[in-house]
Amino acid sequence: MDFTFTEEQQAAVEAAKAVFSGVAPDAVPSPALTPGAVAEDIDRALWAGLAGTDLLSLTLSPEYGGAGLDPVALCLVLRESAKVLARVPLLEGCAVAMALQRHGDRTLAAELLPGFGRGELVLTVGANGRTGHDPAELAVTAHRATARPVGEGTTEAGAETGSRTGAAATAGAEAANTSGWVLDGVQSGVPWAQIADWIAIPAHTGEGRSVLALVRRAQDGVTLAEQVSTNGERLAEVTLRSVRIDDRELIDAPGAWDWLRSLLTTGTCALALGLGERVLSMTSAYTGKREQFGFPVATFQAVAVQAADRYIDLRAMEVTLWQAAWRISTESGGALPPAGDIAVAKIWASDGVRRIVQTAQHLHGGFGADTDYPLHRYHAWAKQIELSLGPAAAHEEALGDLLAAHPLG
């Protein structure tokens, strides 16, 4: 495994730093002072900036107007976005776009992906299921559509339809309407579903297969209930009642949902790393100038030891992140499936980012709780990231199952 980044990946980082340099983490009201969501919409100026610098299309293939880079490049950009608490569905949108490109219908990909890369479409995904504790694909069922009722494209027996009449016309019309799928269920905590154009919904079929449905937000049968995340961003409970989609809008390739979930989890680890790096940098700057007994508190042994421990957390978060991203990008083999490396990365990301923000609050003293200072915002985002796609305990259990199924020897 080589941790050296390519020239293209390094160029993506420089472009990301330039775009995010103008983003202020405190540009919206504090989540600690706001009873609901801190804003109704995403940061549209930033979204346009990401599109203008080709960062939204970074991982799309050239046929869709992209650069064709891998998940490692996406994680590098996500790392920079977390340092400024970027309020855009960058992870969700890029992950869905990559899943559609990799596993989905080619004509639908050709229709949606160029627009996403230009910032004209917003894509998101429901990955929390009904409660956030059960597998997301079990929260929604997908079954083959049956013929629509008379009056919705079919005819009654005996009625004239052009050159065909009677039962033959009815049979032909019903056959034409049995294609497609019907979705029923609930996905909770869907990021920015209210402003998304398309929502990716994991589901399961009657045969127990996991599939991935692409649903228009404004489609008949889709209703949204307002929810708010720990960091004050808009979420939605998406309810689907007999939602009909075309065959091309359902991705039933084996492993498509598992791959998307793995990418989302790895991207969340990248967000945790970027946020942790920014918080430790803030803590270093504060303790370096805050004096007690005539000396900067950073020179006190107890403070230095705590900061050093959190630096070790960051390095562990970094190496496990790149291991997971490398496994996804290269599909390289190993003693365990890629899910093992992803679980290890998420364990470190969840525990590490929590320890980093808690130590930062402690070393900042009362100043860390000042709502005019941005540290409390990072604390709220860290808690959201810690629990997203499963806390450390859930991934420890998953890792144990993998080890039991693949004994190391």
Side-chain angles (χ1 to χ4, degrees):
M1 185 172 58
D2 186 359
F3 281 118
T4 303
F5 299 117
T6 66
E7 292 184 4
E8 292 83 1
Q9 291 167 346
Q10 293 171 357
V13 173
E14 294 305 315
K17 288 180 177 179
V19 173
F20 294 127
S21 64
V23 177
D26 54 357
V28 293
S30 165
L33 304 176
T34 308
V38 296
E40 294 297 307
D41 201 358
I42 62 175
D43 187 338
R44 289 289 179 177
L46 176 57
W47 191 249
L50 291 169
T53 51
D54 297 327
L55 289 175
L56 290 183
S57 60
L58 189 69
T59 54
L60 299 180
S61 66
E63 66 179 301
Y64 303 125
L69 298 189
D70 58 12
V72 172
L74 174 60
C75 287
L76 285 167
V77 176
L78 291 169
R79 179 187 191 177
E80 298 302 319
S81 74
K83 294 177 182 179
V84 296
L85 307 182
R87 300 181 50 261
V88 288
L90 179 61
L91 169 57
E92 295 82 5
C94 289
V96 172
M98 292 177 71
L100 175 57
Q101 174 180 264
R102 182 184 177 96
H103 297 289
D105 180 83
R106 309 309 296 173
T107 59
L108 184 62
E111 290 176 15
L112 299 185
L113 297 186
F116 171 75
R118 295 190 297 268
E120 299 166 0
L121 291 177
V122 175
L123 307 176
T124 190
V125 56
N128 295 310
R130 182 183 291 271
T131 66
H133 299 290
D134 300 318
E137 66 272 18
L138 299 184
V140 176
T141 61
H143 58 85
R144 274 291 180 183
T146 57
R148 292 188 178 91
V150 172
E152 293 187 19
T154 62
T155 59
E156 294 182 311
E160 299 251 345
T161 55
S163 61
R164 298 189 300 169
T165 60
T170 302
E174 287 187 352
N177 282 284
T178 55
S179 63
W181 296 79
V182 176
L183 306 174
D184 288 282
V186 176
Q187 286 287 343
S188 183
V190 181
W192 294 110
Q194 296 89 340
I195 56 92
D197 297 286
W198 291 78
I199 305 171
I201 301 290
H204 70 282
T205 67
E207 299 81 26
R209 291 187 297 115
S210 296
V211 295
L212 187 63
L214 293 172
V215 179
R216 295 177 180 86
R217 170 180 51 84
Q219 195 158 336
D220 290 343
V222 177
T223 57
L224 307 179
E226 193 80 10
Q227 294 179 318
V228 181
S229 67
T230 301
N231 58 0
E233 301 300 322
R234 293 185 79 185
L235 305 175
E237 181 182 78
V238 179
T239 301
L240 303 102
R241 295 187 177 91
S242 300
V243 175
R244 301 178 71 105
I245 62 172
D246 296 334
D247 283 340
R248 68 175 192 155
E249 295 167 349
L250 186 126
I251 302 174
D252 61 355
W257 164 238
D258 291 335
W259 186 87
L260 175 55
R261 180 176 54 200
S262 295
L263 180 57
L264 289 168
T265 306
T266 305
T268 302
C269 296
L271 295 174
L273 176 62
L275 187 148
E277 289 176 331
R278 177 60 180 140
V279 167
L280 190 60
S281 175
M282 292 169 61
T283 305
S284 175
Y286 177 78
T287 57
K289 64 183 179 182
R290 174 74 168 89
E291 291 191 357
Q292 189 73 13
F293 309 114
F295 297 94
V297 297
T299 62
F300 298 169
Q301 185 179 31
V303 172
V305 166
Q306 292 182 69
D309 286 342
R310 301 296 77 83
Y311 178 80
I312 293 172
D313 279 335
L314 281 177
R315 299 289 67 82
M317 292 164 64
E318 183 175 23
V319 71
T320 54
L321 162 65
W322 299 131
Q323 169 83 2
W326 177 75
R327 289 292 302 275
I328 293 177
S329 298
T330 63
E331 299 183 353
S332 299
L336 292 177
D341 294 292
I342 295 167
V344 171
K346 189 56 166 70
I347 291 166
W348 273 104
S350 292
D351 284 344
V353 77
R354 184 190 71 251
R355 287 192 293 259
I356 289 168
V357 294
Q358 287 176 345
T359 298
Q361 290 281 10
H362 176 64
L363 297 183
H364 274 81
F367 194 56
D370 188 342
T371 54
D372 290 330
Y373 186 66
L375 181 60
H376 75 287
R377 298 174 182 266
Y378 285 90
H379 201 150
W381 277 71
K383 179 56 66 175
Q384 180 70 23
I385 291 171
E386 176 193 350
L387 301 178
S388 295
L389 279 301
H395 290 276
E396 288 168 352
E397 182 177 353
L399 181 60
D401 292 340
L402 284 170
L403 289 170
H406 302 81
L408 304 179

